[in-house]
Amino acid sequence: MTDKVIYVDNNATTAVAPEVFEAMKPFLTDLYGNPSSPYPFGDVANKAVAKAREQVAALLGAMPNEIIFTSCGSESDNTALASALATQGRRKVVTTVVEHPAILAPCKHLEEQGYVVKYLRVDSKGRIDLDEARELIDDETAIVSVMWANNETGNIYPVEALARIAHEHGALFHTDAVQATGKLPMNLADSEIDLLSVSGHKLHAPKGVGVLFRRLGTPFVPFLKGGHQERMQRAGTENVASIVGFGVAAELAQANLQDEDTRLRALRDKLEAGLLANAPDAHVNGDLEHRMPHTTNISFKYVEGESILLRLWNAAHICASSGSACSSGSLEASHVLRAMGVDYQSLHGSIRFSLSRYNTEEEVDTVIRTVPPIIRELREISPFGHE
Ligand code: PLP
């Protein structure tokens, strides 16, 4: 690929930061020792993993011995659910209809095995109702799992209030913080969250490394059983280079958090305002008052998301994301937008733009210039028709 890509799909994945790549390199080449080996060559790797643990803990406001390195956010999510059900002596899970498949798919599997899973609904802005949470969470509940921020809309959920309700009933509280970590300030030392999932590739670390925060004292059984790694909490020889990269990415995220919040919020607002002003029959999906600063989800009525994406790529190599995904020849609309009751014409023409540290104002201007003519053109040939 020689042409420049305008990557505004950072909730899908992010570029590895150059500082992260540099820090990883020695552990992919010369320093390939196993952290569990007793000789100094292994100890170098061991010390590097320990440093990364401190860096990630600092970003979360947690203690290093509360950090378990995993292979991804999905593994962390699956581990949290399985561990709670194994340790709590209860068979009920409470979650939401808007979780990522990394929670929804294991929940479905649990239901098939006879566990009870209750789903909090959302309103038209994607908000949950704490009163419904109070009704569903009871003394039978093993774990409540609610995401900190939604990957499609950027909505932020009231995780501390939910953790308190869970604890009133003796349940554990887990949050999928894959989209929130490194973007919202976190201080888990002063929190009721018991378990929290993070994924490296959403914050400029490589793919294939994640973290499960486990508050000290939280009952736990490992998901992957085998070797003694991660203090017997997650078997498997450590992915040293990626863990080192994760540590550096965490440190960078922490150092830039406030500045990036301000800069990306302004860029996102400019993008949103520019698109809404130039494309009629468009609206933003989500809770505009409680939303991640870098995400906007816009429905362009009467057009089809996948067609917009294709044309965005052809016109200016713009990468964004659509709420619907072509699967086995049929259009499957986003479960998040469907749960919000978004109407049919808006559902299929929804596009998520998600920014990162590497996006520039010039890129945002290009997106603002490129999208509206595409929408106009598609509406002329739209199978949905328009008013
Ligand atoms: N949870 C959320 C909210 C996500 O957005 C994602 C990735 O898109 C995941 C979990 C899964 O993370 P990973 O790709 O590291 O398994």
Side-chain angles (χ1 to χ4, degrees):
M1 288 247 8
T2 47
D3 287 344
K4 188 177 176 305
V5 166
I6 297 183
Y7 191 80
V8 284
D9 197 15
N10 289 278
N11 286 9
T13 194
T14 58
V16 171
E19 300 91 329
V20 167
F21 183 54
E22 283 308 315
M24 290 174 66
K25 265 194 216 163
F27 295 94
L28 291 166
T29 50
D30 300 341
L31 303 176
Y32 53 82
N34 186 326
S36 302
S37 298
Y39 37 75
F41 193 51
D43 198 42
V44 177
N46 190 28
K47 287 207 167 73
V49 169
K51 181 177 174 197
R53 202 183 302 284
E54 282 171 17
Q55 290 164 314
V56 173
L59 176 66
L60 301 180
M63 291 187 285
N65 55 1
E66 294 176 316
I67 303 300
I68 305 168
F69 285 110
T70 64
S71 69
C72 58
S74 301
E75 185 191 323
S76 302
D77 283 348
N78 275 262
T79 304
L81 294 175
S83 172
L85 289 167
T87 57
Q88 293 300 95
R90 300 175 176 190
R91 297 182 63 81
K92 179 174 169 184
V93 177
V94 177
T95 185
T96 77
V97 289
V98 293
E99 297 300 308
H100 187 274
I103 288 291
L104 291 179
C107 279
K108 184 159 179 280
H109 181 67
L110 287 168
E111 284 181 280
E112 286 160 6
Q113 307 221 306
Y115 290 91
V116 177
V117 183
K118 295 288 176 194
Y119 298 87
L120 293 167
R121 292 164 304 175
V122 294
D123 67 10
S124 61
K125 293 184 172 178
R127 298 174 299 195
I128 60 156
D129 177 0
L130 284 177
D131 284 334
E132 189 182 28
R134 284 186 199 97
E135 274 165 34
L136 294 187
I137 300 167
D138 59 18
D139 293 353
E140 305 289 305
T141 310
I143 183 166
V144 178
S145 178
V146 175
M147 65 198 336
W148 197 318
N150 185 269
N151 44 304
E152 294 193 31
T153 57
N155 275 11
I156 297 171
Y157 289 99
V159 286
E160 288 301 337
L162 288 158
R164 269 193 299 280
I165 300 170
H167 288 170
E168 280 162 20
H169 293 281
L172 295 178
F173 183 76
H174 164 256
T175 184
D176 175 337
V178 163
Q179 294 292 346
T181 308
K183 296 171 187 118
L184 298 179
M186 290 181 181
N187 184 15
L188 293 176
D190 187 23
S191 154
E192 291 207 25
I193 294 165
D194 301 300
L195 298 158
L196 173 145
S197 304
V198 188
S199 171
H201 74 102
K202 310 288 183 177
L203 53 117
H204 304 293
K207 295 159 187 63
V209 62
V211 153
L212 178 65
F213 158 84
R214 172 204 169 198
R215 182 173 301 286
L216 276 194
T218 301
F220 187 78
V221 291
F223 193 62
L224 285 191
K225 299 162 191 73
H228 290 195
Q229 293 88 358
E230 297 301 289
R231 294 172 38 253
M232 304 277 294
Q233 297 169 110
R234 197 269 184 187
T237 301
E238 297 86 342
N239 180 356
V240 178
S242 294
I243 288 172
V244 166
F246 201 161
V248 174
E251 200 170 276
L252 287 170
Q254 198 181 3
N256 294 319
L257 201 135
Q258 200 49 56
D259 289 352
E260 274 186 25
D261 183 291
T262 310
R263 194 182 76 87
L264 293 183
R265 196 177 291 275
L267 274 189
R268 189 272 313 270
D269 290 350
K270 178 174 184 180
L271 174 64
E272 205 166 80
L275 293 179
L276 294 182
N278 293 298
D281 286 324
H283 65 263
V284 178
N285 297 307
D287 178 4
L288 303 197
E289 270 120 59
H290 301 98
R291 198 167 48 135
M292 297 298 288
H294 66 294
T295 303
T296 180
N297 185 312
I298 304 183
S299 279
F300 301 96
K301 273 187 150 181
Y302 317 120
V303 287
E304 204 274 298
E306 300 286 315
S307 308
I308 304 175
L309 292 188
L310 198 64
R311 280 163 205 251
L312 282 175
W313 174 260
N314 289 340
H317 284 185
I318 294 169
C319 302
S321 183
S322 96
S324 57
C326 269
S327 60
S328 45
S330 68
L331 279 179
E332 205 177 278
S334 142
H335 71 284
V336 174
L337 299 185
R338 270 189 288 140
M340 290 161 61
V342 172
D343 66 275
Y344 183 80
Q345 279 98 344
S346 303
L347 197 56
H348 288 276
S350 75
I351 300 287
R352 177 189 70 189
F353 301 93
S354 45
L355 307 174
S356 84
R357 153 177 345 143
Y358 300 115
N359 288 121
T360 63
E361 185 157 10
E362 197 190 339
E363 289 180 328
V364 164
D365 290 338
T366 305
V367 177
I368 294 172
R369 267 197 317 276
T370 310
V371 173
I374 289 176
I375 304 297
R376 273 196 295 279
E377 191 191 323
L378 284 172
R379 278 194 182 141
E380 283 172 12
I381 55 165
S382 167
F384 298 119
H386 51 92
E387 287 156 359

